[in-house]
Amino acid sequence: MYWNQEVETLSPEALEALQVERLRWTVAQASRSPFYGKRFAERAIKAESIEGVEDIRRLPFTAKEDLRAQFPYGLLSVDRREVVRLHVSSGTTGQSTVIFHSRRDIDGWADLVSRCMYMTGVRADDVFQNLSGYGLFTGGLGFHYGSERLGALTIPSGAGNSKRQVYFMQQFGTTVIHLIPSYALRLVQVMGELGVDPRRDLKLRIAFLGAEPYSEEMRQRVEQFFALDAYNSYGLSEMNGPGVAFECLRKNGMHIWEDAFLVEVIDPQTLQPCRPGEDGELVLTTLTREAMPIIRYRTRDLTRLLSGSCACGRVHRRIDRIKGRSDDMLIIKGVNIFPMQVERVLMDIPEVGTNYRIVLEQVDGLDSMKVQVEVHSETFKEDMRYLRRLQEKITHDLRNELFITPRVELVQPNSLPQSEGKAVRVVDNRPRHGWPASA
Ligand code: AMP
Ligand code: ZN
């Protein structure tokens, strides 16, 4: 049941003691980098002064901008000869950020991913197809090494080429897949076109969905269509990639591996800790990384710590599904809106197809929001009256959720642009509005 029973079921006290020891080591290790070396010296921060996990609050935050400003080597804490790999973050705006790994780091990362996969029931006799972009994107190699270490037959099929993906699933009897949620919906369409019925023709039993925010409604759609259990997988390049937080069989929040990451949830405005159960920004500190430790990294991801223990027996606390990012909140007519709210409404309406897009524009000098929604091909064949009623229903449901009235446009299946990687859900056509608006 456990990949590493000792670490997964430590007592809370033993876990905390481990964290303090590792935090102290991390501060010492980080001080070797030019960036933290200078920062810590200025503030007279020393590893020895760390006595408890609360002492993390005396350390400064690290932001994406710091990583950008220090590009490429400013946060490197080891000699370059000890670095065996780098990943560059998939962020679409601005200067890239780079994360370096030593051999030990890669090893630790793979082990965390194996732990996640094993937790959901993946075993050595499984066939794991990784439909995630390989290369700089961490979802490829991250899952790949985790799966190999676990001993599953690993198919590095990569993203895209949907027909071949389905062919592999059929030929190799794939049982476990990893893919981003928007691509899972694309596959639903492709299988429909190919006449492949997952229940009849495939052996899938587990899916890992992650790398972009998605709703519970989306998970249910995927589970129903593919006839499998879908587990939420959370990670970010700065904290390795996948393997940071993952759902167990209970699917009630994601266990965040506290032996490897120190977890805080803060109010992004006041920077003070949130109360347990209160939504805020996730802040993470690496506890075992040697080549490039990162301290108090502001992820911009919004979530909360769930209270209570999990019936699976793991001590590591759980975070809720990511609600969105503090920097993708939209403000329209003074109302705060997260794209995820739109998705929840849409995915609950059966006629809605597999893709949607939010377009922000200015009409007569006022901000307005248009939601373009692909409908199923059968629905599209219905008469105008039917489509008008559907459009009214979607508008009504969105108004109830968002408190503003968006313009809803029904469009044909496959007509909205598809992205190979993470889905682009928001297009901002408002004059003078950069995207994304930073918080
Ligand atoms: P990157 O490091 O560029 O691959 O992107 C990491 C970001 O992807 C995170 O900071 C989140 O914003 C997002 N992300 C990853 N996994 C999830 C997930 N399961 N749910 C929601 N967002 C996610
Ligand atoms: Zn659990």
Side-chain angles (χ1 to χ4, degrees):
M1 175 175 180
Y2 302 108
W3 174 253
N4 183 340
Q5 177 154 11
E6 191 193 334
V7 170
E8 290 173 59
T9 63
L10 284 171
S11 70
E13 299 72 35
L15 177 60
E16 189 170 328
L18 183 68
Q19 287 188 316
V20 176
E21 181 194 312
R22 289 184 172 176
L23 180 59
R24 214 176 280 140
W25 174 82
T26 295
V27 169
Q29 185 66 12
S31 344
R32 297 167 187 239
S33 71
F35 174 69
Y36 286 117
K38 181 157 173 287
R39 264 194 162 187
F40 291 172
E42 283 164 4
R43 293 173 172 79
I45 292 168
K46 293 211 163 56
E48 306 85 77
S49 56
I50 303 283
E51 285 169 2
V53 279
E54 338 59 74
D55 289 330
I56 187 82
R57 288 202 230 145
R58 296 195 285 114
L59 306 180
F61 291 105
T62 306
K64 187 94 173 173
E65 297 75 62
D66 295 317
L67 300 192
R68 287 200 179 117
Q70 296 296 319
F71 186 88
Y73 289 118
L75 269 81
L76 190 61
S77 289
V78 295
D79 191 280
R80 236 168 66 187
R81 276 172 307 188
E82 288 179 49
V83 176
V84 298
R85 197 193 308 161
L86 65 77
H87 279 278
V88 174
S89 173
S90 60
T92 45
T93 48
Q95 154 104 48
S96 318
T97 56
V98 57
I99 306 295
F100 296 103
H101 300 275
S102 68
R103 192 174 299 280
R104 207 184 93 182
D105 294 335
I106 292 289
D107 222 49
W109 178 15
D111 199 67
L112 285 174
V113 176
S114 311
R115 191 195 289 180
C116 295
M117 297 177 77
Y118 196 88
M119 173 164 74
T120 64
V122 180
R123 296 294 179 267
D125 51 7
D126 273 301
V127 179
F128 173 65
Q129 189 167 331
N130 194 7
L131 294 82
S132 163
Y134 270 69
L136 294 172
F137 179 58
T138 55
L141 294 175
F143 265 94
H144 185 94
Y145 286 106
S147 165
E148 279 192 357
R149 168 168 307 211
L150 197 152
L153 167 54
T154 306
I155 311 175
S157 58
N161 208 340
S162 308
K163 284 187 183 155
R164 203 161 88 148
Q165 299 280 8
V166 178
Y167 176 77
F168 283 169
M169 288 178 194
Q170 288 176 306
Q171 298 304 314
F172 300 125
T174 302
T175 52
V176 183
I177 51 177
H178 166 234
L179 70 184
I180 60 177
S182 47
Y183 188 57
L185 291 189
R186 168 88 191 116
L187 271 187
V188 168
Q189 248 173 28
V190 172
M191 288 193 188
E193 286 158 22
L194 294 174
V196 170
D197 173 1
R199 284 167 203 274
R200 184 191 61 208
D201 307 320
L202 303 177
K203 297 203 171 76
L204 298 177
R205 57 184 203 94
I206 295 175
F208 303 127
L209 300 180
E212 62 186 11
Y214 64 105
S215 56
E216 185 58 41
E217 288 76 7
M218 171 94 94
R219 183 225 302 263
Q220 280 163 16
R221 274 195 175 205
V222 170
E223 289 192 328
Q224 274 158 23
F225 179 82
F226 293 99
L228 45 68
D229 284 298
Y231 296 94
N232 199 356
S233 155
Y234 169 80
L236 60 162
S237 313
E238 292 79 359
M239 299 288 129
N240 300 342
V244 176
F246 219 83
E247 278 180 332
C248 68
L249 293 173
R250 312 273 161 176
K251 297 184 193 162
N252 56 358
M254 297 179 278
H255 288 286
I256 183 155
W257 301 122
E258 297 188 82
D259 57 316
F261 305 98
L262 196 71
V263 183
E264 298 172 85
V265 178
I266 63 163
D267 177 325
Q269 256 73 50
T270 66
L271 308 183
Q272 292 307 307
C274 289
R275 289 185 306 275
E278 197 186 351
D279 274 317
E281 179 181 330
L282 188 65
V283 171
L284 296 172
T285 300
T286 62
L287 288 177
T288 56
R289 223 163 53 188
E290 140 185 281
M292 189 169 162
I294 299 185
I295 290 176
R296 301 195 90 193
Y297 184 66
R298 296 195 53 185
T299 65
R300 302 282 170 185
D301 291 325
L302 300 173
T303 183
R304 61 196 178 107
L305 278 165
L306 300 176
S307 55
S309 54
C310 183
C312 74
R314 290 179 178 83
V315 63
H316 306 259
R317 285 176 296 172
R318 289 160 300 139
I319 54 167
D320 202 359
R321 178 178 288 284
I322 306 294
K323 185 176 156 201
R325 294 176 52 85
S326 59
D327 49 10
D328 67 19
M329 187 177 78
L330 310 169
I331 303 179
I332 301 151
K333 295 178 179 157
V335 181
N336 297 350
I337 294 172
F338 285 99
M340 196 46 47
Q341 292 175 279
V342 174
E343 178 178 305
R344 282 212 313 269
V345 169
L346 296 180
M347 290 297 133
D348 236 7
I349 301 175
E351 293 90 344
V352 168
T354 54
N355 204 355
Y356 69 93
R357 193 164 81 151
I358 299 168
V359 182
L360 305 178
E361 33 194 26
Q362 223 166 49
V363 180
D364 300 331
L366 290 175
D367 284 354
S368 88
M369 178 175 172
K370 179 165 78 180
V371 180
Q372 296 175 306
V373 184
E374 285 187 8
V375 295
H376 287 305
S377 23
E378 310 83 70
T379 309
F380 213 74
K381 292 185 200 120
E382 298 279 350
D383 64 18
M384 282 300 278
R385 261 221 332 265
Y386 180 93
L387 289 174
R388 178 113 1 104
R389 271 209 307 277
L390 176 60
Q391 188 181 27
E392 280 162 11
K393 174 174 171 41
I394 297 174
T395 309
H396 169 267
D397 289 2
L398 284 172
R399 183 171 49 229
N400 275 351
E401 169 72 29
L402 308 174
F403 304 112
I404 62 159
T405 312
R407 229 149 36 82
V408 172
E409 209 176 274
L410 302 183
V411 301
Q412 290 200 44
N414 281 324
S415 61
L416 295 175
Q418 303 259 359
S419 56
E420 264 267 307
K422 305 191 187 207
V424 179
R425 297 298 191 194
V426 181
V427 181
D428 199 339
N429 290 335
R430 292 177 292 180
R432 285 186 298 107
H433 267 81
W435 167 259
S438 65

